[in-house]
Amino acid sequence: RCINWETWSVEEWKSTRRNSPESLAAFYQTIQSWSFDLLWYAYLQAVGIAYPVGVVIARSLPRRRARLRHLDFGSGVGVTSQLFAQLGFETDLADISTSLLAFARFRLERRGQPATYLDLNVTQLGTGRYDVITAVDTLVHVPDLPATARLLHAALRPGGLLFANFDVRPKTFENAWHLYE
């Protein structure tokens, strides 16, 4: 499943028309294949084959004060949150994918790592709550990037840091769910 996640994901995408905000949200809320993709990618990072984005972010942070708060925006299966929790951060996982958020909760709870889980379909981020926000491989899935950037900026505490990356690959059949190039 990890190796063939992309074929499975295309099948999930094509299972219905994705021409409305509701059908796009339904895709993200029910996606199953991405759990395997995200775990496979985490494994590839751990063995040195893929670039370890979360580790690079963590290493680039200035010396920490005690109990800083981290938001993993678009948390997926919680790999980045797991790292930040291990480093002593209070971490919140936020996603619109209820299936990925449930799997992240399973993963962190079975390891005894405390976290807060925010279902972005029903919960707002709030203002001035986070010292560090990570949005790794997430923003390509956001329909309104300027509004999301404002939301993330507002969620930062004064002096807080936002780490984000932008996937700018051309649209293909295998990444039809990317909302921009």
Side-chain angles (χ1 to χ4, degrees), residues 54-66:
V55 173
V56 171
I57 291 169
R59 285 186 175 171
S60 72
L61 293 173
R63 285 196 80 122
R64 296 190 321 258
R65 303 179 310 274

Side-chain angles (χ1 to χ4, degrees), residues 19 21 23 34 42 72 76 80 109 122 135 176:
N19 58 350
S23 64
W34 286 5
D72 189 0
T80 303
E109 285 181 353
V122 295

Side-chain angles (χ1 to χ4, degrees), residues 23-121:
S23 64
L24 186 61
F27 172 74
Y28 289 118
Q29 290 168 357
T30 61
I31 188 82
Q32 296 293 313
S33 59
W34 286 5
S35 294
F36 296 92
D37 162 40
L38 296 169
L39 290 177
W40 179 245
Y41 186 62
Y43 166 76
L44 293 176
Q45 290 177 49
V47 298
I49 294 172
Y51 188 72
V53 177
V55 173
V56 171
I57 291 169
R59 285 186 175 171
S60 72
L61 293 173
R63 285 196 80 122
R64 296 190 321 258
R65 303 179 310 274
R67 300 310 291 170
L68 295 178
R69 191 161 194 93
H70 165 250
L71 171 67
D72 189 0
F73 183 78
S75 60
V77 297
V79 173
T80 303
S81 297
Q82 186 178 7
L83 170 65
F84 275 77
Q86 195 69 24
L87 293 172
F89 284 79
E90 292 179 40
T91 189
D92 291 1
L93 293 82
D95 211 304
I96 67 163
S97 175
T98 51
S99 59
L100 293 177
L101 205 55
F103 190 61
R105 180 187 296 267
F106 164 77
R107 291 184 63 253
L108 271 68
E109 285 181 353
R110 73 182 272 238
R111 288 168 177 81
Q113 293 178 307
T116 302
Y117 302 87
L118 306 174
D119 178 347
L120 293 174
N121 299 294

Side-chain angles (χ1 to χ4, degrees), residues 126-157:
T127 302
R129 296 183 63 197
Y130 300 101
D131 300 290
V132 177
I133 297 175
T134 53
V136 176
D137 297 335
T138 298
L139 298 178
V140 72
H141 305 288
V142 172
D144 188 344
L145 189 56
T148 300
R150 287 189 296 276
L151 177 82
L152 294 175
H153 182 262
L156 283 170
R157 289 182 177 151

